[in-house]
């Protein structure tokens, strides 16, 4: 599992400590001090199935995950920086090259979870993955335990643990918009020249 923009890493540390599944966890974060602090906690706790890396996932995700020998079964992008100003939208983490790389490297049956407490950001992420409907299905169409509202947003967090941002936002009365996708077909990049 890869968590893009893992922040303080507590979400992944909790998963690594408490998940009954045999799974490795990788947190990618653009703020180096957070990575150093979190990796210190991992060492102190003696966890061997979680690692945090200083990286700009928008440009380095492909290089990082393509070198991993096992399957990539889950990618999460949880409450990324919203970059509210229109001229800064290009700084949002989820850009087309990253979606392409996630789509290419995720194993068949693998899932992607996107969530934000900012509707505009959640909608942007959703539209990017909806653009790959030939590869991804909304996971609630496959897994009937995942319930959605009338707009298609998941009603509950499917991970069993909330992020710090999620907890803070909910305490402030904000809605969390989340969507999960499952890869049902192989990704064939379009090499046609326009």
């Amino acid at each position: 599992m890869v968590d893009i923009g893992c922040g303080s890493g507590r979400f992944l540390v909790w998963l690594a400590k408490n998940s009954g599944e045999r799974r490795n966890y990788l947190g990618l974060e653009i703020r180096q001090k957070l990575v150093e602090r979190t990796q210190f906690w991992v060492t102190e706790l003696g966890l061997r199935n979680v690692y945090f890396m200083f990286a700009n996932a928008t440009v380095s995700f492909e290089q990082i995950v393509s070198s991993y020998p096992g399957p990539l079964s889950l990618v999460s992008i949880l409450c990324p920086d919203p970059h509210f100003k229109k001229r800064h939208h290009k700084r949002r983490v989820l850009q087309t090259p990253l979606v392409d790389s996630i789509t290419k490297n995720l194993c068949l049956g693998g899932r992607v979870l996107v969530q934000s407490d900012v509707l505009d950001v959640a909608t942007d992420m959703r539209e990017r993955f909806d653009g790959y409907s030939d590869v991804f299905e909304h996971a609630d169409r496959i897994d009937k335990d995942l319930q959605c509202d009338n707009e298609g947003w998941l009603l509950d967090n499917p991970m069993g643990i909330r992020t710090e941002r999620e907890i803070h936002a909910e305490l402030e009365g904000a809605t969390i918009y989340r969507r999960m996708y499952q890869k049902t077909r192989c990704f064939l990049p379009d090499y046609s020249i326009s």
Side-chain angles (χ1 to χ4, degrees):
M1 173 186 177
V2 176
D3 185 27
I4 297 172
C6 63
S8 70
R10 289 187 178 127
F11 170 77
L12 274 189
V13 168
W14 187 92
L15 282 175
K17 279 181 66 175
N18 297 298
S19 176
E21 297 179 51
R22 256 179 66 90
R23 178 180 276 175
N24 290 321
Y25 300 89
L26 174 63
L28 301 178
E29 176 56 50
I30 201 164
R31 294 170 289 178
Q32 190 165 4
K33 286 194 184 286
L34 285 178
V35 171
E36 290 168 0
R37 184 177 67 200
T38 305
Q39 200 53 47
F40 173 80
W41 292 339
V42 166
T43 303
E44 287 292 306
L45 291 168
L47 297 174
R48 299 177 54 112
N49 62 334
V50 62
Y51 186 78
F52 293 88
M53 183 180 287
F54 169 63
N56 179 345
T58 305
V59 296
S60 56
F61 182 87
E62 175 74 29
Q63 181 182 2
I64 293 166
V65 300
S66 65
S67 66
Y68 182 71
L72 176 60
S73 60
L74 180 61
V75 174
S76 59
I77 305 171
L78 310 174
C79 299
D81 190 330
H83 294 289
F84 289 110
K85 293 179 181 175
K86 185 107 174 130
R87 70 178 187 265
H88 293 160
H89 284 192
K90 64 183 178 237
R91 294 182 185 166
R92 288 182 175 171
V93 68
L94 196 59
Q95 302 293 329
T96 301
L98 180 55
V99 178
D100 284 345
S101 184
I102 291 168
T103 305
K104 174 183 166 189
N105 287 285
L106 193 68
C107 70
L108 203 57
R111 291 184 169 186
V112 177
L113 174 63
V114 295
Q115 87 175 19
S116 180
D117 57 319
V118 178
L119 180 58
D120 181 53
V121 173
T123 300
D124 182 52
M125 292 191 293
R126 181 178 174 167
E127 287 172 354
R128 290 182 184 274
F129 280 101
D130 283 351
Y132 290 77
S133 61
D134 56 330
V135 177
F136 289 106
E137 297 246 1
H138 294 274
D140 59 283
R141 293 186 183 142
I142 299 165
D143 184 346
K144 298 304 176 193
D145 290 334
L146 298 174
Q147 300 297 311
C148 291
D149 65 14
N150 292 337
E151 301 291 318
W153 299 108
L154 289 173
L155 294 173
D156 298 306
N157 179 329
M159 299 301 296
I161 181 166
R162 299 179 301 164
T163 66
E164 289 178 81
R165 176 66 196 165
E166 190 175 353
I167 292 166
H168 173 77
E170 288 178 335
L171 287 174
E172 295 290 318
T175 300
I176 304 297
Y177 303 95
R178 55 180 75 86
R179 197 75 182 126
M180 183 174 268
Y181 296 86
Q182 185 163 332
K183 186 173 179 180
T184 56
R185 289 174 284 289
C186 291
F187 175 59
L188 300 172
D190 182 8
Y191 292 113
S192 62
I193 299 173
S194 305

